[in-house]
């Protein structure tokens, strides 16, 4: 394995092609040097068939020798559900979260494209990641696991490439795109969308100026509420509104529906792998709704000590997911634990989404729920403990206070 910073002597490379400005410029520049570029595109649900056909034509026109499109949608959704079941979300501001949709996308992109590159005889991996970002390390980690004989050419580590293209303006002119008016860059997949860079780097940028892919104009919202019923079997969603549904159709349906209610938008200041603080604006409508639904189920089925362990483990897993360590031993253990806990989710959860983007739980009916209404009721019931039972509990509390009461009393005064 070698990190290549120059194209001297290179005859062929495999490019992880997104269709964006950076990778388009890479194709045109590298091919102009007489080097064959094989473009590998990961279909993560970010485009339809016509869009992929257009991307293929663009890649060929820019100089790619071959174009491969690899369908990764179901693989990505499966990883998304593992993240949901394991609560692998660590960037939280107030009540909003980032659902790690880009790190999850990098997993299946790296794995699927590396496998395809191996089958295509590619020995040099190339992508458009910059040295300041996270993806340069994520792509490297995952692809290196599958093929340690793979070498890496990173254009943004090549002084010749950097000298020719100082930024978006130069690359736009080079490939003939009018891209300089964009206020931000977008990374998209079926789990969610990331908006960052350019204008967003300023902390005075107002996110209402973003043209969200799923949520659209956030100033426009539906006037009526929407009710959704989920039927679970062993932690998996089997039906929505009493109809069987595939994982792909589930995400397509909920992204459109929940996006119209502006669910899952968050504005996060995060710390990159390199310890640099950065800003990202995210939208993950389906992930947001399902996260709330899974949390509801977990809170009904398990005791607080289990939930505490579950939450802490999720944070640990999320940090490693963000860093590109999804397949390490500890991560494997936490994921198994999350899936195991969610296997007890059997039953129905019905929610209502209001025009104010509020999720209201209308019904929670789970076969293994330990929530018992009569136990907590303030009305007279035939089950549960009585008042005299609580007196005994308070006497035990009194005894526990005696040994350190003087120290605690001083702190009160």
């Amino acid at each position: 394995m070698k990190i290549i910073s120059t194209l001297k002597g290179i005859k062929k490379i495999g490019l992880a092609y997104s269709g964006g400005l950076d990778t388009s410029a890479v194709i045109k520049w590298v091919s102009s040097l007489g080097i064959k570029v094989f473009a590998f595109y990961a279909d993560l649900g970010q485009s339809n068939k016509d869009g992929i056909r257009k991307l293929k034509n663009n890649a060929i026109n820019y100089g790619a020798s071959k174009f491969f499109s690899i369908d990764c949608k179901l693989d990505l959704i499966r990883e998304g559900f593992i993240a949901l079941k394991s609560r692998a979300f660590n960037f939280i501001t107030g009540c909003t979260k980032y659902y790690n949709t880009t790190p999850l996308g990098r997993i299946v992109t790296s794995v699927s494209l590396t496998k395809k590159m191996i089958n295509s005889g590619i020995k040099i991996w190339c992508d458009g990641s910059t040295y300041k970002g996270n993806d340069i390390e994520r792509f490297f980690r995952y692809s290196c696991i599958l093929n340690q004989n793979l070498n890496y050419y990173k254009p943004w580590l090549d002084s010749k490439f950097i000298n020719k293209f100082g930024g978006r303006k130069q690359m736009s002119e080079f490939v003939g795109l009018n891209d300089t008016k964009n206020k931000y860059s977008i990374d998209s997949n079926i789990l969610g969308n990331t908006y960052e860079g350019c204008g967003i780097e300023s902390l005075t940028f107002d996110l209402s100026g973003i043209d969200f892919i799923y949520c659209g104009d956030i100033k426009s919202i539906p006037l009526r509420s929407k009710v959704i019923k989920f039927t679970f079997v062993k932690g998996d969603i089997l039906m929505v509104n009493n109809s069987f549904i595939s994982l792909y159709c589930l995400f397509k349906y909920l992204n459109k529906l929940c996006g119209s209610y502006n669910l899952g938008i968050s504005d996060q200041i995060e710390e990159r792998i390199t310890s640099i603080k950065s800003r990202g604006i995210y939208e993950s409508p389906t992930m947001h709704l399902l996260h709330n639904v899974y949390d509801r189920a977990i809170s009904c089925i398990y005791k607080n000590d289990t939930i505490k362990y579950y939450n802490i483990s999720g944070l640990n897993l999320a940090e490693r997911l963000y860093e590109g360590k999804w397949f390490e031993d500890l991560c494997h253990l936490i994921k198994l634990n999350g899936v195991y806990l969610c296997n007890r989710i059997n039953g129905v959860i019905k929610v209502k989404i209001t025009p104010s983007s509020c999720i209201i739980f209308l019904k929670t009916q789970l076969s293994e729920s330990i929530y018992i209404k009569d136990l907590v009721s303030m009305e007279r019931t035939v089950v549960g403990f009585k008042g005299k039972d609580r007196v005994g509990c308070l006497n035990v509390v009194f005894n526990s206070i005696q040994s350190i009461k003087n120290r605690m009393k001083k702190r009160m005064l």
Side-chain angles (χ1 to χ4, degrees):
M1 185 281 297
K2 292 190 297 184
I3 306 296
I4 301 170
S5 58
T6 176
L7 289 170
K8 185 177 181 181
I10 302 301
K11 297 181 179 180
K12 180 173 67 176
I13 66 169
L15 172 67
Y17 179 61
S18 67
L21 180 60
D22 290 55
T23 51
S24 296
V26 169
I27 289 178
K28 187 172 182 179
W29 185 67
V30 173
S31 62
S32 71
L33 300 177
I35 300 169
K36 290 183 178 181
V37 179
F38 285 16
F40 296 82
Y41 174 78
D43 177 9
L44 304 172
Q46 70 273 46
S47 188
N48 56 27
K49 290 182 179 180
D50 290 337
I52 295 174
R53 194 177 298 114
K54 182 179 179 181
L55 288 172
K56 176 181 179 180
N57 293 335
N58 289 343
I60 299 300
N61 290 335
Y62 289 138
S65 301
K66 291 185 179 180
F67 176 89
F68 301 92
S69 177
I70 300 93
D71 189 347
C72 306
K73 294 188 288 291
L74 285 181
D75 290 336
L76 176 57
I77 291 172
R78 291 189 188 102
E79 297 293 351
F81 267 104
I82 292 174
L84 282 166
K85 292 178 179 180
S86 305
R87 218 172 187 270
F89 316 119
N90 58 320
F91 287 108
I92 305 169
T93 300
C95 59
T96 66
K97 295 181 179 180
Y98 170 40
Y99 293 101
N100 274 327
T101 56
T102 293
L104 288 165
R106 297 303 183 248
I107 295 168
V108 296
T109 297
S110 302
V111 172
S112 300
L113 267 55
T114 301
K115 289 180 179 178
K116 188 67 176 178
M117 287 185 187
I118 292 172
N119 294 335
S120 302
I122 297 295
K123 297 181 179 179
I124 298 176
W125 166 292
C126 176
D127 62 70
S129 58
T130 68
Y131 60 89
K132 288 187 177 180
N134 300 309
D135 290 335
I136 191 170
E137 187 164 330
R138 292 169 182 157
F139 283 135
F140 177 79
R141 281 180 175 273
Y142 295 132
S143 59
C144 190
I145 292 171
L146 285 173
N147 185 3
Q148 294 192 0
N149 294 320
L150 201 62
N151 294 323
Y152 297 87
Y153 170 68
K154 303 287 187 176
W156 288 109
L157 297 179
D158 186 340
S159 59
K160 292 183 178 179
F161 184 86
I162 295 172
N163 291 335
K164 186 173 181 64
F165 307 106
R168 299 185 70 86
K169 182 177 183 296
Q170 293 88 341
M171 287 190 291
S172 297
E173 293 173 351
F174 181 68
V175 299
L177 290 176
N178 185 20
D179 189 68
T180 56
K181 293 182 180 180
N182 288 345
K183 298 178 182 179
Y184 44 79
S185 63
I186 304 173
D187 184 86
S188 179
N189 65 52
I190 197 168
L191 301 184
N193 304 302
T194 297
Y195 307 86
E196 61 183 6
C198 302
I200 291 175
E201 291 173 352
S202 170
L203 296 185
T204 61
F205 182 90
D206 181 355
L207 69 77
S208 64
I210 291 179
D211 183 16
F212 288 98
I213 294 173
Y214 294 140
C215 297
D217 182 2
I218 63 173
K219 299 173 185 176
S220 175
I221 55 176
L223 298 177
R224 296 182 179 180
S225 299
K226 180 69 176 180
V227 175
I228 309 172
K229 177 184 175 184
F230 297 98
T231 302
F232 285 86
V233 175
K234 293 185 177 179
D236 294 327
I237 297 173
L238 188 67
M239 292 190 290
V240 174
N241 295 333
N242 298 321
S243 296
F244 291 97
I245 190 167
S246 69
L247 295 180
Y248 176 71
C249 291
L250 172 70
F251 265 83
K252 291 290 287 184
Y253 168 68
L254 290 180
N255 275 336
K256 183 177 180 180
L257 173 63
C258 299
S260 67
Y261 287 89
N262 297 335
L263 291 187
I265 294 177
S266 71
D267 183 345
Q268 304 287 343
I269 301 296
E270 61 198 69
E271 186 168 314
R272 293 180 177 177
I273 297 172
T274 54
S275 298
I276 299 173
K277 290 285 187 179
S278 65
R279 182 189 185 192
I281 296 174
Y282 307 96
E283 61 167 336
S284 309
T286 301
M287 294 290 283
H288 179 73
L289 176 61
L290 295 184
H291 172 56
N292 279 267
V293 171
Y294 272 100
D295 260 16
R296 175 70 160 195
I298 291 293
S299 66
C300 287
I301 295 173
Y302 293 102
K303 303 282 286 183
N304 272 355
D305 53 354
T306 302
I307 294 173
K308 179 181 178 181
Y309 171 78
Y310 176 65
N311 292 342
I312 293 172
S313 296
L315 287 172
N316 286 331
L317 177 61
E319 290 174 358
R320 286 158 177 78
L321 165 60
Y322 188 81
E323 295 170 355
K325 302 175 181 178
W326 188 242
F327 298 106
E328 292 191 352
D329 291 338
L330 178 59
C331 295
H332 183 64
L333 180 64
I334 296 173
K335 287 184 285 185
L336 288 176
N337 177 67
V339 172
Y340 171 80
L341 292 177
C342 288
N343 278 346
R344 293 186 178 274
I345 303 175
N346 294 282
V348 170
I349 296 179
K350 184 188 289 187
V351 301
K352 178 169 67 175
I353 307 173
T354 71
S356 59
S357 304
C358 182
I359 299 172
I360 298 174
F361 290 94
L362 301 178
K363 182 179 182 180
T364 305
Q365 188 175 8
L366 302 170
S367 62
E368 296 197 44
S369 174
I370 61 174
Y371 179 89
I372 302 172
K373 176 179 174 293
D374 286 348
L375 282 179
V376 73
S377 177
M378 296 299 294
E379 303 299 323
R380 182 180 298 173
T381 61
V382 295
V383 299
F385 57 86
K386 310 299 183 195
K388 63 180 181 180
D389 299 321
R390 194 59 187 267
V391 171
C393 292
L394 293 177
N395 285 330
V396 173
V397 171
F398 179 79
N399 290 334
S400 70
I401 290 173
Q402 296 309 301
S403 60
I404 58 171
K405 66 178 181 180
N406 291 332
R407 291 203 299 268
M408 292 193 293
K409 186 175 180 179
K410 290 179 181 179
R411 294 166 192 150
M412 291 181 177
L413 301 176

